């Protein structure tokens, strides 16, 4: 028989997993939009609110970066912490790789 604390923990994880999945869908959608359109436009709060507009290869790499960032929250779906840590680490390495490629292109 499960204790009440275990049931509450599973319920809390279900909410966290749903929210993480929604965040992932939005970020992956933004990345796909950037890749398919070949453009990226954004706005930053730094530098006095500068507008950012990328075209071509930097925009595609930025879209890949968004997808890698969007895959990161899916680590909540792993049952073992070790697997979640490996998933999150792989996503962050991919994110940094795409960031470096975008900056040097």
């Amino acid at each position: 028989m499960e204790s009440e604390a275990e049931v509450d923990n599973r319920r809390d994880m279900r909410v966290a997993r749903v929210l993480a999945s929604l965040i992932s869908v939005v970020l992956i959608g933004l990345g796909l939009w950037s890749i398919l359109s070949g453009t990226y436009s954004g706005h930053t709060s730094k530098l006095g609110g500068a507008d950012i507009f990328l075209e071509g290869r930097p925009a595609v790499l930025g879209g890949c970066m968004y997808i890698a960032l969007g895959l990161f929250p899916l680590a909540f779906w792993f049952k073992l912490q070790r697997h979640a840590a490996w998933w999150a680490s792989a996503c962050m390495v991919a994110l940094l790789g795409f960031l470096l490629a975008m900056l040097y292109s």
Side-chain angles (χ1 to χ4, degrees):
M1 196 84 190
E2 288 182 306
S3 69
E4 190 173 322
E6 290 175 350
V7 172
D8 287 341
N9 188 26
R10 279 193 305 134
R11 188 176 304 127
D12 291 343
M13 282 305 294
R14 192 175 313 141
V15 171
R17 287 176 177 154
V18 168
L19 291 175
S21 297
L22 290 173
I23 291 169
S24 290
V25 166
V26 169
L27 289 174
I28 291 170
L30 286 171
L32 287 174
W33 183 276
S34 233
I35 290 171
L36 294 176
S37 69
T39 60
Y40 172 79
S41 61
H43 188 78
T44 181
S45 60
K46 296 181 178 159
L47 303 172
D51 289 325
I52 299 168
F53 188 76
L54 302 173
E55 288 183 318
R57 181 178 162 85
V60 171
L61 290 170
C64 293
M65 191 175 70
Y66 262 97
I67 290 174
L69 185 64
L71 291 173
F72 178 76
L74 296 178
F76 279 104
W77 285 97
F78 289 98
K79 294 194 184 290
L80 297 177
Q81 289 181 356
R82 182 180 57 186
H83 294 161
W86 277 106
W87 176 265
S89 298
C91 289
M92 286 300 108
V93 166
L95 175 87
L96 291 174
F98 287 127
L99 178 65
L100 286 174
M102 184 179 73
L103 291 175
Y104 288 114
S105 66

